[in-house]
């Protein structure tokens, strides 16, 4: 028996009796023992008196101690109302409930019935009583998955129920809002108008959807325990089935039928917001994504999850390779799901975040020198091919133009010619170049390497030229004969004409019999070509297309003002002088004798973005045998100049290739003009080995040649070349 009870004294026959009352019932007490009689099932009447109230049971009267009347009425009501059902304490539409109201709900709700709303009103209803006087109390709105009604609970536990049918209409007014349902009218409190308005839209929904609507409201309030309890009541609901699986500890276990039922009722567009509402962590979402893909590789629901998970996964790592791998995997899943256009867009966006492939032309990136940016670009382009974007095949070949596998995937005469060069060598380019009109302004701009077209680079170049005194090369012309009329002279004239230049050509012999150099002494522009390249008996003799390449390249240096910055042989010599190479640059380049470091030089450096310059400086240091992980100001300046010169050389090579129209002849010319006997070496080795030759430390033996050849072949496959060769 409850410790919280009230004893009422009376007389049964001629004996004194005690009636004990607690919240579970009335108990007739004998000699200290409970008689076991549940008197609440007997006729019972509460009688109010002037001095003291009394309780009549079995026609016997028991006086209620003074001041205990309210407690007796409370206990009677609790004993009459209490049931065995569990009632939720919290919920988005559950107002505060009195002790009597909570007790009543435990007996009112049927097995399996779910309480969804219990809202207070300020409208009173009369409640007749079987025990005491009629009372008047405020009604309560009760809404479950099965029923809707107004309940008024009297102080003795009597209940007046008014069923509700029809739509719930809430009218906003100053003060308390008015609510209508069928013929019934009542008013809200000052604090729960919002709950009435929120309930109204799904008031008449069928039971499962009604519970789901309240569940969503609980999630909006982040009442996860309430939402979980509501989900557990939806025994046959496919969404609730998945919710329970994701809320359970351990692995997420879902069968194919369960997933099938889930995707049929859950819109793919709502899936992420549903996960957000439940606050499912990344592990749960990843598990669901994996199961959905396993169930259906083209699942739009899996794709919907994937779209956001992929962004989050990328943001959680700064490792470029990891980011690229995430995007590639996502794109492939998109393509498999039939979203090929979206897959291509994902890969293209990632490509757009990488360093410009044009800037990477400045750095050798053969096998063993792989830069993360290059690796990422290759992987992304390959992924584009895998999802059906065949245009990426050419971009791959341009990035790795020395790879037979890459080039053989292309079609067209340029790819065929390049593949022949890679397989069989440089022969087959003996025809003289075609005669064509002079390049117009647009073509001249297109001839420049893309990085060298920037305003920063051009302004820096002009500033450098303005600072250099015009050299006097008259002695060179005095000791070199003019190039005689003939096939070589015709090639030279055609090249000068295309570049819109008046220039002279001379031939050098002896120590200067190898190489080709352009000079500008202010009075004239001229090119001096080594005699070995014109001698049919020399292994270094150049075919017409080769002559067009070297003449075009040197004339381009003159046309674009490169020769005024520094002579080309200075740069070539620097790469062969070891550690002293940097000293040579610092002491003999005209710029450094009259230009403040970090001033005008930086204008050229700014043209090289994405860290390419730093890589160039470090790799140049390796070529000179200098550790440049932390380069000095002087070394950085030298590296900046190397970058500038490299851009100039790549531009000149582009001009030479457009004029010569054959990459085999162009590469042969590079080898023939090199002081080393590369022509003889190439006779017994493929181009890949010549370009990729390394020393014992693994450094490229010919980094400048590797850059030039790779950039040249990439240009050969480009749209720029197609446009220029057609002009």
């Amino acid at each position: 028996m409850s410790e919280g009870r009230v004893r009422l004294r009376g007389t049964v026959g001629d004996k004194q009796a005690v009636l004990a009352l607690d919240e579970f019932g009335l108990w007739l007490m004998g000699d200290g023992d409970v008689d076991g009689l549940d008197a609440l099932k007997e006729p019972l009447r509460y009688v109010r008196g002037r001095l003291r109230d009394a309780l009549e049971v079995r026609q016997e009267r028991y006086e209620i101690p003074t001041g205990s009347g309210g407690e007796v009425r409370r206990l009677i009501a609790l004993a009459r109302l209490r049931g065995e059902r569990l009632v939720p304490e919290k919920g988005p539409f559950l107002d505060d409930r009195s002790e009597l109201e909570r007790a009543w709900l435990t007996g009112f709700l049927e097995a399996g019935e779910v309480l969804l709303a219990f809202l207070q009103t300020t409208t009173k209803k009369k409640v007749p009583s079987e025990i005491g006087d009629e009372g008047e109390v405020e009604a309560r709105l009760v809404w479950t998955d099965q029923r809707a009604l107004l309940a008024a609970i009297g102080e003795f536990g009597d209940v007046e129920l008014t069923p509700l049918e029809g739509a719930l209409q809430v009218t906003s007014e100053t003060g308390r809002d008015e609510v209508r349902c069928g013929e019934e009218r009542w008013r809200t409190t000052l604090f729960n108008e919002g709950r009435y308005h929120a309930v109204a839209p799904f008031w008449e929904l069928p039971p499962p959807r009604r519970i789901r609507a309240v569940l969503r409201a609980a999630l909006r309030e982040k009442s996860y325990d309430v939402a979980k309890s509501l989900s557990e009541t939806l025994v046959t609901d496919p969404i609730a089935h998945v919710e329970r699986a994701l809320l359970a500890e351990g692995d997420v276990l879902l069968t194919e039928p369960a997933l099938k039922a889930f995707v049929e009722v859950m819109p793919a567009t709502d899936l992420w917001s549903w996960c957000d509402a439940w606050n499912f962590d990344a592990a749960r979402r990843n598990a669901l994504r994996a199961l959905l893909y396993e169930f259906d590789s083209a699942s739009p629901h899996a794709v919907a999850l994937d779209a956001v998970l992929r962004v989050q996964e990328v943001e959680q790592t700064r490792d470029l390779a990891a980011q690229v791998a995430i995007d590639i995997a996502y794109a492939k899943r998109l393509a498999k799901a039939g979203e090929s256009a979206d897959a291509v867009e994902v890969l293209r966006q990632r490509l757009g975040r990488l360093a410009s492939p044009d800037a990477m032309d400045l750095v050798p990136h053969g096998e063993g020198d792989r830069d993360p940016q290059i690796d990422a670009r290759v992987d992304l382009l390959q992924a584009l091919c895998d999802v059906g974007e065949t245009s990426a095949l050419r971009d791959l070949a341009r990035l790795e133009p020395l790879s037979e596998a890459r080039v053989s995937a292309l079609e067209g005469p340029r790819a065929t010619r390049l593949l022949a060069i890679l397989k069989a060598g440089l022969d087959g380019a003996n025809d003289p170049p075609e005669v064509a009109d002079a390049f117009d302004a647009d073509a001249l701009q297109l001839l420049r390497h893309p990085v060298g077209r920037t305003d920063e680079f051009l302004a820096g170049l002009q500033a450098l030229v303005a600072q250099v005194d015009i050299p006097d090369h008259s002695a060179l012309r005095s000791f070199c004969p003019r190039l005689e009329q003939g096939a070589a002279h015709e090639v030279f004239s055609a090249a000068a004409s295309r570049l819109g230049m008046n220039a002279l050509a001379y031939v050098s012999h002896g120590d200067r019999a190898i190489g080709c150099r352009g000079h500008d002494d202010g009075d004239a522009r001229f090119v001096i070509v080594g005699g070995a390249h014109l001698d049919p008996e020399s292994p270094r003799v150049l075919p017409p297309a080769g002559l067009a390449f070297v003449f075009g390249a040197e004339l381009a240096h003159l046309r674009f003002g490169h020769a005024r910055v520094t002579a080309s042989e200075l740069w070539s010599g620097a790469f062969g002088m070891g550690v002293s190479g940097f000293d040579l640059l610092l002491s003999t380049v005209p710029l450094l004798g009259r230009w403040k470091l970090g001033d005008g030089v930086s204008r050229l450096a700014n043209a090289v973005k994405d860290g390419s310059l730093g890589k160039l400086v470090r790799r140049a240091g390796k070529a000179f045998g200098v550790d440049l992980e932390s380069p000095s100001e002087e070394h950085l300046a030298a590296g900046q100049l190397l970058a500038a010169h490299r851009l100039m050389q790549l531009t000149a090579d582009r001009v030479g290739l457009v004029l010569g129209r054959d990459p085999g002849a162009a590469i042969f010319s590079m080898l023939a003009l090199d002081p080393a006997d590369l022509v003889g070496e190439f006779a017994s080795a493929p181009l890949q080995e010549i370009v990729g030759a390394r020393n014992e430390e693994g450094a490229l033996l010919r980094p400048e040649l590797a850059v030039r050849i790779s950039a040249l072949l990439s240009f050969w496959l480009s749209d720029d070349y197609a446009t220029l060769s057609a002009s």
Side-chain angles (χ1 to χ4, degrees), residues 348-662:
R348 290 292 184 194
Q349 285 182 359
R350 173 58 60 183
L351 280 168
R353 298 188 188 101
L354 298 179
S356 166
D358 298 321
M360 297 309 294
D361 275 350
L362 303 175
V363 182
H365 47 78
E367 199 64 40
D369 284 291
R370 302 292 293 195
D371 182 275
Q373 294 278 339
I374 295 295
D375 282 337
R377 187 169 290 276
V378 169
D379 291 343
L380 288 165
L381 290 173
Q382 183 60 61
L384 277 170
C385 296
D386 294 341
V387 300
E389 185 74 353
T390 56
S391 62
L393 289 170
R394 189 187 61 170
D395 294 329
L396 269 174
R398 289 194 61 201
L399 201 59
E400 297 179 320
L402 295 172
S403 167
E404 288 187 22
R406 298 297 190 198
V407 177
S408 63
L410 304 181
E411 297 179 351
R414 280 184 287 157
T416 301
R417 174 59 182 142
L418 177 51
L419 190 60
I421 292 171
L422 295 176
K423 287 183 175 181
L426 306 178
D427 294 337
N430 296 316
D431 296 331
E434 300 176 5
V435 177
D437 296 333
F439 294 117
D440 58 22
D442 290 339
L444 288 172
Q445 179 71 348
L446 202 59
L447 283 166
R448 296 181 187 272
H449 188 276
V451 176
R453 296 173 197 161
T454 63
D455 292 339
E456 287 175 317
F457 180 84
L458 295 175
L461 182 60
Q462 292 170 1
L464 293 177
V465 171
Q467 292 293 320
V468 179
D469 293 334
I470 298 175
D472 182 4
H473 294 303
S474 58
L476 290 174
R477 288 189 286 170
S478 299
F479 288 97
C480 296
R482 293 277 292 273
L483 178 63
E484 297 179 354
Q485 295 291 329
H489 191 276
E490 290 180 3
V491 172
F492 178 81
S493 297
S497 176
R498 291 219 68 186
L499 286 165
M501 297 175 60
N502 292 317
L504 302 174
Y506 295 85
V507 182
S508 62
H509 298 281
D511 293 340
R512 296 277 182 162
I514 298 173
C516 188
R517 304 162 190 87
H519 301 279
D520 181 356
D521 61 9
D523 294 327
R525 295 172 176 177
F526 57 96
V527 173
I528 300 178
V529 62
H533 307 305
L534 304 175
D535 182 359
E537 302 300 321
S538 170
R540 297 177 185 263
V541 65
L542 298 178
L547 283 173
F549 173 79
V550 297
F551 285 148
E554 291 305 318
L555 287 170
H557 281 309
L558 298 173
R559 179 67 174 80
F560 295 129
H562 301 166
R564 290 279 298 279
V565 179
T566 181
S568 59
E569 63 264 29
L570 175 64
W571 300 99
S572 300
F575 276 98
M577 298 184 69
V579 176
S580 63
F582 273 102
D583 297 332
L584 174 69
L585 289 172
L586 294 171
S587 62
T588 61
V589 175
L591 166 73
L592 296 182
R594 60 188 75 228
W595 196 272
K596 182 180 178 182
L597 289 177
D599 192 356
V601 176
S602 66
R603 302 181 71 177
L604 289 180
N606 287 338
V608 187
K609 307 294 185 184
D610 303 309
S612 300
L613 179 63
K615 297 180 180 69
L616 179 61
V617 172
R618 288 191 293 274
R619 293 181 184 184
K622 289 181 181 179
F624 297 134
V626 179
D627 180 10
L628 293 181
E629 288 301 320
S630 301
S632 66
E633 186 178 18
E634 289 80 7
H635 286 155
L636 182 59
Q640 292 168 342
L641 286 173
L642 284 171
H645 168 69
R646 186 162 280 175
L647 287 173
M648 298 175 194
Q649 186 61 61
L650 296 184
T651 291
D653 289 346
R654 288 162 67 96
V655 175
L657 182 59
V658 171
L659 296 181
R661 293 180 179 266
D662 186 79

Side-chain angles (χ1 to χ4, degrees), residues 249-331:
E249 295 183 1
D251 296 337
V252 178
L253 303 176
L254 287 167
T255 63
E256 183 174 326
L259 287 169
K260 182 178 180 181
F262 173 74
V263 300
E264 286 177 353
V265 296
M266 169 65 74
T269 53
D270 294 345
L271 187 56
W272 186 263
S273 60
W274 172 75
C275 287
D276 266 352
W278 275 105
N279 198 31
F280 291 137
D281 60 19
R284 296 281 140 181
R285 300 184 198 212
N286 276 314
L288 181 57
R289 172 179 61 177
L291 287 168
L292 287 167
Y293 272 128
E294 184 179 339
F295 162 61
D296 178 5
S297 61
S299 167
H301 292 75
V303 171
L305 276 179
D306 226 348
V308 187
L309 283 171
R310 160 249 178 180
V311 173
Q312 293 181 346
E313 290 166 356
V314 168
E315 290 176 347
Q316 289 169 1
T317 178
R318 293 187 177 182
D319 181 69
L320 177 61
Q323 291 177 338
V324 169
I326 291 168
D327 280 351
I328 289 175
Y330 172 60

Side-chain angles (χ1 to χ4, degrees), residues 193-206:
E193 302 100 322
R195 287 181 165 179
Y196 274 100
H197 284 279
V199 165
F202 37 83
W203 176 261
E204 294 185 287
L205 291 177

